[in-house]
Amino acid sequence: MKQQLEAIRAKALEAIGGAEKAEDLEALRVQYLGKKGELTAVLKQMGSLSAEERPVIGQLANEVRAKLEESVETRTKELAAKALEMKLKAEAVDVTIPGKAVKIGKKHPMYQVLDEIKDIFVGMGFEILEDREVETADYNFTKLNCLEGHPAREWTDTFYFTEDSSILLRTQTSPMQIHAMETRSLPIRILAPGRVYRKDEVDATHSPMFHQIEGMVIDKGVTMADLKGTLNAVMEELYGKGTVTRFRPHHFPFTEPSCEMDIQCHKCHGAGCPTCKGEGWIEVLGAGMVHPKVLEGCGIDSNVYSGWAFGMGLERLALGHFKIGDLRLIFENDVRFLEQF
């Protein structure tokens, strides 16, 4: 039995010392020291020894077990250290290699202009409202005094969801006028930006989806002079002192009197070019005094209160603000273009 123990010790120590993987080392531990291991199998034969041999063999067996356990523990630490060294080497960072530049994004040019406009109107005491893009024809047209038969209600101009033309993608932000007058107490000063949808052909200044900014004031003693003064002040804040604007008479069902406001073309300064279609001016908004029928429809006494409203095209304001010649560039998401702003 002594020879068996010596043989096991020699064989096991050699195998343990040569183990290269943790799983191989664990298999050797089980093979020699486990409950069904070779050392255990030898010790089960102790009963056949004489009383004089048992202490000697028992001591030798304990020495062999202790030596093997020590060898396993030592090899385990060696393999762990080796694995750590390999990991550190694989994950080492060469500090002499130039670092990668971190590219930080920024706001789209259109939303940069929107933020400026919001700041201007908030400074004037306006409240910012954002609301639904799917609207009912009642709010998008009827309550704005745009009755049945009006060309804007035709299927050729509007994206409808229902065959009875009752639900649609809003064609303007003007429904926010009605929502505000129905839900807020007087006086009212709101600015409502958002997406709108019309069946427009895509060109340098048109898109079937674009952004409008609706503004409205309802109070006692409000006049057209307040509207013109406010809009001129806003344009000068956006484009600088001396910005040239013009107001033209127009007709909108929901305002009376009504007007359109243009700014002098930023590309040709009034001489005429493709951006302004040779006119020298770019239309940016429609406006006017809120129609008495619209006020009365919202339960507001038009003999006591008056107001004005406007709807401006955000994309066209961005064109002028950044001197962009074609509206389509704003929607194409070409990074080479967007990185300029």
Side-chain angles (χ1 to χ4, degrees):
M1 187 175 289
K2 181 178 179 181
Q3 289 77 11
Q4 285 181 294
L5 291 174
E6 293 291 352
I8 290 173
R9 174 163 57 182
K11 182 181 176 183
L13 289 176
E14 182 180 0
I16 292 171
E20 294 295 333
K21 296 181 181 179
E23 52 267 31
D24 294 339
L25 186 60
E26 174 62 18
L28 289 172
R29 187 193 67 79
V30 173
Q31 177 183 344
Y32 291 106
L33 300 173
K35 290 183 177 180
K36 297 181 180 180
E38 293 184 21
L39 183 58
T40 304
V42 172
L43 294 176
K44 287 182 179 179
Q45 302 174 26
M46 291 279 288
S48 62
L49 298 176
S50 64
E52 293 80 10
E53 292 178 311
R54 285 178 190 171
V56 176
I57 298 302
Q59 182 179 357
L60 179 59
N62 289 335
E63 290 175 359
V64 171
R65 177 179 292 278
K67 186 61 178 178
L68 295 186
E69 289 176 346
E70 180 185 353
S71 180
V72 169
E73 184 179 354
T74 300
R75 191 57 182 163
T76 299
K77 292 178 179 179
E78 291 174 352
L79 292 177
K82 185 177 180 180
L84 178 60
E85 181 181 358
M86 293 176 63
K87 181 179 180 182
L88 292 175
K89 186 176 181 180
E91 297 178 357
V93 177
D94 186 349
V95 295
T96 65
I97 297 177
K100 294 182 179 179
V102 178
K103 298 185 70 174
I104 300 176
K106 52 187 174 181
K107 285 189 177 180
H108 192 282
M110 186 175 65
Y111 285 98
Q112 292 181 37
V113 176
L114 177 58
D115 286 345
E116 288 187 41
I117 294 171
K118 285 181 178 180
D119 287 342
I120 293 168
F121 278 96
V122 167
M124 293 179 173
F126 282 68
E127 177 186 1
I128 307 297
L129 297 183
E130 294 185 2
D131 210 322
R132 67 215 79 183
E133 294 178 14
V134 176
E135 191 57 270
T136 65
D138 192 35
Y139 278 89
N140 197 81
F141 295 122
T142 308
K143 291 190 175 185
L144 288 164
N145 199 35
C146 187
L147 305 179
E148 293 287 348
H150 192 281
R153 302 184 72 145
E154 295 294 329
W155 277 71
T156 53
D157 289 336
T158 302
F159 294 102
Y160 285 102
F161 286 108
T162 56
E163 292 187 4
D164 63 357
S165 304
S166 62
I167 308 233
L168 62 145
L169 286 171
R170 65 181 180 184
T171 63
Q172 54 196 350
T173 46
S174 298
M176 287 304 301
Q177 295 182 33
I178 307 302
H179 291 300
M181 286 189 282
E182 288 183 346
T183 59
R184 280 165 169 72
S185 58
L186 298 167
I188 299 172
R189 287 176 177 79
I190 65 157
L191 188 76
R195 284 182 288 267
V196 297
Y197 306 85
R198 298 179 190 176
K199 291 183 178 178
D200 285 336
E201 294 297 325
V202 177
D203 61 24
T205 55
H206 293 84
S207 169
M209 186 285 296
F210 56 100
H211 295 74
Q212 274 191 346
I213 304 174
E214 191 78 14
M216 184 182 71
V217 170
I218 305 292
D219 205 346
K220 296 178 180 179
V222 175
T223 68
M224 192 79 172
D226 300 316
L227 169 63
K228 293 184 68 176
T230 301
L231 292 178
N232 278 328
V234 171
M235 292 302 120
E236 287 202 338
E237 284 288 332
L238 281 173
Y239 301 119
K241 292 292 182 182
T243 297
V244 181
T245 63
R246 74 175 182 182
F247 290 81
R248 296 177 286 105
H250 198 70
H251 168 73
F252 296 111
F254 35 85
T255 53
E256 182 61 37
S258 304
C259 66
E260 286 189 338
M261 189 187 83
D262 306 329
I263 59 171
Q264 195 174 76
C265 179
H266 58 277
K267 298 288 284 188
C268 65
H269 303 290
C273 69
T275 298
C276 61
K277 294 182 171 64
E279 296 181 1
W281 298 88
I282 297 177
E283 176 193 335
V284 292
L285 61 86
M289 301 300 294
V290 179
H291 200 293
K293 286 186 178 179
V294 176
L295 292 173
E296 297 290 346
C298 295
I300 298 174
D301 189 345
S302 61
N303 294 315
V304 178
Y305 289 93
S306 59
W308 52 256
F310 67 82
M312 66 172 68
L314 178 57
E315 284 83 357
R316 294 188 185 183
L317 291 174
L319 293 185
H321 189 69
F322 290 112
K323 307 298 185 289
I324 300 170
D326 194 321
L327 178 144
R328 287 168 289 193
L329 291 169
I330 291 178
F331 296 118
E332 288 175 349
N333 292 323
D334 189 328
V335 175
R336 295 171 299 175
F337 168 74
L338 297 176
E339 283 180 340
Q340 299 177 53
F341 309 99

